[in-house]
Amino acid sequence: MKDIVRQKIGINVDVMDLLNEQISKEAHSAAVYLAMASWCDHNGLTNSAEFFYKQSAEEREHMLKIFNFINDNGGTAYSPEVNNINHEYNSLQEIFETALDQEIQITKSINNIVTRCRKVQDYGSENFLQWFVQEQMEEENQFRRILEMFDLMGTDGIALKFIDERIKHD
Ligand code: FEO
């Protein structure tokens, strides 16, 4: 059965399975960032809210990029279920720390798929994933730069307002 499928699709079937898992992870990220945007909105942190609305939209774009890649190459992309979204946070710093942790996990996941691509010589999918490798470096750096502001300025009321004013999505 696998051999028949292999003839019809341009990507390795094991890689396709991992890409479908990645679709779920990107959808989960989009939902997590939307919850973070809501928290920021409710706490009067308008720039941070805007940042996470944009970040959430970007994650949905990432999801669709992979979704279209699978379907364009004869595979089947699966629409993901999203659950277990946390809406409770103690501070803006905690939110950005959580976001960085999430991005580090996504980077590991992308790297893992690239490793699989090389193992099975699926160079088309590897080439497709290079965009994500670059994107992850930029996203991690963006969150690290923001977290540095908390280290420099602290987390009290005035510092928090000051940091929020400086938060902009690239
Ligand atoms: Fe699309 Fe930031 O992972």
Side-chain angles (χ1 to χ4, degrees), residues 64-86:
L64 284 175
K65 223 177 167 84
I66 301 171
F67 205 92
N68 291 332
F69 177 76
I70 293 174
N71 284 337
D72 288 349
N73 286 285
T76 303
Y78 294 107
S79 183
E81 281 182 30
V82 177
N83 48 36
N84 291 328
I85 304 303
N86 178 34

Short mmCIF file of all heavy atoms in Angstrom, two decimals, residues 64-86:
data_model
loop_
_atom_site.label_atom_id
_atom_site.label_comp_id
_atom_site.label_asym_id
_atom_site.label_seq_id
_atom_site.Cartn_x
_atom_site.Cartn_y
_atom_site.Cartn_z
N LEU A 64 -0.78 27.17 7.13
CA LEU A 64 -1.31 27.05 5.77
C LEU A 64 -0.22 26.77 4.74
O LEU A 64 -0.45 26.06 3.76
CB LEU A 64 -2.06 28.34 5.39
CG LEU A 64 -3.44 28.49 6.01
CD1 LEU A 64 -4.04 29.84 5.66
CD2 LEU A 64 -4.38 27.37 5.54
N LYS A 65 0.96 27.32 4.99
CA LYS A 65 2.09 27.08 4.08
C LYS A 65 2.38 25.57 4.00
O LYS A 65 2.57 25.02 2.92
CB LYS A 65 3.33 27.80 4.66
CG LYS A 65 4.16 28.55 3.65
CD LYS A 65 5.29 29.28 4.41
CE LYS A 65 6.32 29.77 3.46
NZ LYS A 65 6.10 31.03 2.81
N ILE A 66 2.41 24.94 5.16
CA ILE A 66 2.68 23.49 5.20
C ILE A 66 1.48 22.72 4.62
O ILE A 66 1.64 21.76 3.86
CB ILE A 66 2.97 23.02 6.65
CG1 ILE A 66 4.18 23.78 7.21
CG2 ILE A 66 3.24 21.52 6.68
CD1 ILE A 66 4.41 23.56 8.70
N PHE A 67 0.30 23.18 5.00
CA PHE A 67 -0.95 22.56 4.52
C PHE A 67 -0.96 22.52 2.97
O PHE A 67 -1.20 21.48 2.35
CB PHE A 67 -2.13 23.40 5.03
CG PHE A 67 -3.42 22.65 5.17
CD1 PHE A 67 -3.76 22.04 6.36
CD2 PHE A 67 -4.30 22.56 4.11
CE1 PHE A 67 -4.95 21.36 6.51
CE2 PHE A 67 -5.50 21.88 4.25
CZ PHE A 67 -5.83 21.28 5.45
N ASN A 68 -0.68 23.68 2.37
CA ASN A 68 -0.69 23.77 0.90
C ASN A 68 0.44 22.96 0.28
O ASN A 68 0.26 22.35 -0.78
CB ASN A 68 -0.57 25.24 0.46
CG ASN A 68 -1.82 26.02 0.80
OD1 ASN A 68 -2.91 25.47 0.86
ND2 ASN A 68 -1.68 27.32 1.03
N PHE A 69 1.59 22.94 0.93
CA PHE A 69 2.73 22.17 0.41
C PHE A 69 2.38 20.69 0.30
O PHE A 69 2.65 20.04 -0.72
CB PHE A 69 3.95 22.36 1.32
CG PHE A 69 5.15 21.55 0.90
CD1 PHE A 69 5.93 21.92 -0.19
CD2 PHE A 69 5.49 20.39 1.60
CE1 PHE A 69 7.03 21.16 -0.58
CE2 PHE A 69 6.59 19.62 1.22
CZ PHE A 69 7.36 20.01 0.12
N ILE A 70 1.75 20.16 1.34
CA ILE A 70 1.37 18.74 1.32
C ILE A 70 0.37 18.48 0.19
O ILE A 70 0.56 17.58 -0.64
CB ILE A 70 0.76 18.31 2.68
CG1 ILE A 70 1.82 18.34 3.79
CG2 ILE A 70 0.16 16.91 2.58
CD1 ILE A 70 1.27 18.07 5.19
N ASN A 71 -0.69 19.29 0.15
CA ASN A 71 -1.73 19.05 -0.86
C ASN A 71 -1.23 19.31 -2.28
O ASN A 71 -1.61 18.58 -3.22
CB ASN A 71 -2.97 19.91 -0.56
CG ASN A 71 -3.79 19.33 0.59
OD1 ASN A 71 -3.70 18.14 0.88
ND2 ASN A 71 -4.57 20.16 1.24
N ASP A 72 -0.38 20.31 -2.45
CA ASP A 72 0.16 20.61 -3.79
C ASP A 72 1.05 19.48 -4.32
O ASP A 72 1.28 19.38 -5.52
CB ASP A 72 0.99 21.91 -3.76
CG ASP A 72 0.11 23.15 -3.62
OD1 ASP A 72 -1.12 23.01 -3.74
OD2 ASP A 72 0.67 24.24 -3.37
N ASN A 73 1.55 18.66 -3.41
CA ASN A 73 2.44 17.58 -3.83
C ASN A 73 1.78 16.21 -3.78
O ASN A 73 2.45 15.17 -3.73
CB ASN A 73 3.73 17.60 -2.99
CG ASN A 73 4.61 18.75 -3.41
OD1 ASN A 73 5.25 18.70 -4.46
ND2 ASN A 73 4.63 19.82 -2.63
N GLY A 74 0.46 16.23 -3.81
CA GLY A 74 -0.28 14.97 -3.93
C GLY A 74 -0.57 14.27 -2.63
O GLY A 74 -1.17 13.18 -2.62
N GLY A 75 -0.17 14.87 -1.51
CA GLY A 75 -0.45 14.27 -0.21
C GLY A 75 -1.79 14.74 0.33
O GLY A 75 -2.56 15.40 -0.36
N THR A 76 -2.05 14.37 1.58
CA THR A 76 -3.30 14.81 2.23
C THR A 76 -2.96 15.54 3.52
O THR A 76 -2.37 14.96 4.44
CB THR A 76 -4.20 13.60 2.57
OG1 THR A 76 -4.45 12.87 1.37
CG2 THR A 76 -5.51 14.06 3.18
N ALA A 77 -3.34 16.81 3.55
CA ALA A 77 -3.15 17.61 4.77
C ALA A 77 -4.39 17.48 5.63
O ALA A 77 -5.51 17.47 5.12
CB ALA A 77 -2.90 19.07 4.40
N TYR A 78 -4.17 17.38 6.94
CA TYR A 78 -5.30 17.23 7.87
C TYR A 78 -5.52 18.49 8.70
O TYR A 78 -4.58 19.02 9.27
CB TYR A 78 -5.06 16.03 8.79
CG TYR A 78 -5.06 14.72 8.03
CD1 TYR A 78 -3.88 14.02 7.81
CD2 TYR A 78 -6.26 14.23 7.50
CE1 TYR A 78 -3.88 12.84 7.07
CE2 TYR A 78 -6.26 13.04 6.78
CZ TYR A 78 -5.07 12.36 6.57
OH TYR A 78 -5.09 11.20 5.84
N SER A 79 -6.79 18.92 8.72
CA SER A 79 -7.15 20.09 9.52
C SER A 79 -7.02 19.73 11.00
O SER A 79 -7.61 18.75 11.46
CB SER A 79 -8.59 20.49 9.19
OG SER A 79 -8.92 21.66 9.89
N PRO A 80 -6.24 20.50 11.74
CA PRO A 80 -5.93 20.09 13.12
C PRO A 80 -7.00 20.45 14.14
O PRO A 80 -7.76 21.41 13.96
CB PRO A 80 -4.67 20.90 13.42
CG PRO A 80 -4.82 22.13 12.61
CD PRO A 80 -5.58 21.76 11.37
N GLU A 81 -7.04 19.65 15.20
CA GLU A 81 -7.86 20.01 16.37
C GLU A 81 -6.96 20.77 17.32
O GLU A 81 -5.79 20.42 17.49
CB GLU A 81 -8.37 18.75 17.07
CG GLU A 81 -9.55 18.15 16.35
CD GLU A 81 -10.08 16.93 17.08
OE1 GLU A 81 -9.96 16.87 18.32
OE2 GLU A 81 -10.60 16.04 16.40
N VAL A 82 -7.51 21.79 17.93
CA VAL A 82 -6.71 22.57 18.89
C VAL A 82 -7.40 22.57 20.24
O VAL A 82 -8.59 22.87 20.33
CB VAL A 82 -6.54 24.03 18.40
CG1 VAL A 82 -5.77 24.85 19.43
CG2 VAL A 82 -5.83 24.06 17.06
N ASN A 83 -6.67 22.19 21.27
CA ASN A 83 -7.24 22.25 22.62
C ASN A 83 -6.14 22.53 23.64
O ASN A 83 -4.99 22.71 23.28
CB ASN A 83 -8.00 20.95 22.97
CG ASN A 83 -7.18 19.73 22.62
OD1 ASN A 83 -5.96 19.74 22.77
ND2 ASN A 83 -7.84 18.68 22.15
N ASN A 84 -6.54 22.56 24.91
CA ASN A 84 -5.60 22.87 26.00
C ASN A 84 -4.90 24.21 25.84
O ASN A 84 -3.68 24.30 25.91
CB ASN A 84 -4.54 21.77 26.13
CG ASN A 84 -5.12 20.47 26.63
OD1 ASN A 84 -6.08 20.48 27.40
ND2 ASN A 84 -4.57 19.36 26.19
N ILE A 85 -5.66 25.26 25.62
CA ILE A 85 -5.08 26.60 25.51
C ILE A 85 -5.17 27.31 26.86
O ILE A 85 -6.27 27.51 27.39
CB ILE A 85 -5.79 27.44 24.42
CG1 ILE A 85 -5.74 26.71 23.07
CG2 ILE A 85 -5.16 28.83 24.31
CD1 ILE A 85 -4.36 26.36 22.57
N ASN A 86 -4.02 27.67 27.40
CA ASN A 86 -3.97 28.37 28.69
C ASN A 86 -4.32 29.85 28.51
O ASN A 86 -3.82 30.51 27.60
CB ASN A 86 -2.55 28.23 29.27
CG ASN A 86 -2.40 28.96 30.58
OD1 ASN A 86 -3.35 29.04 31.37
ND2 ASN A 86 -1.23 29.52 30.82
#
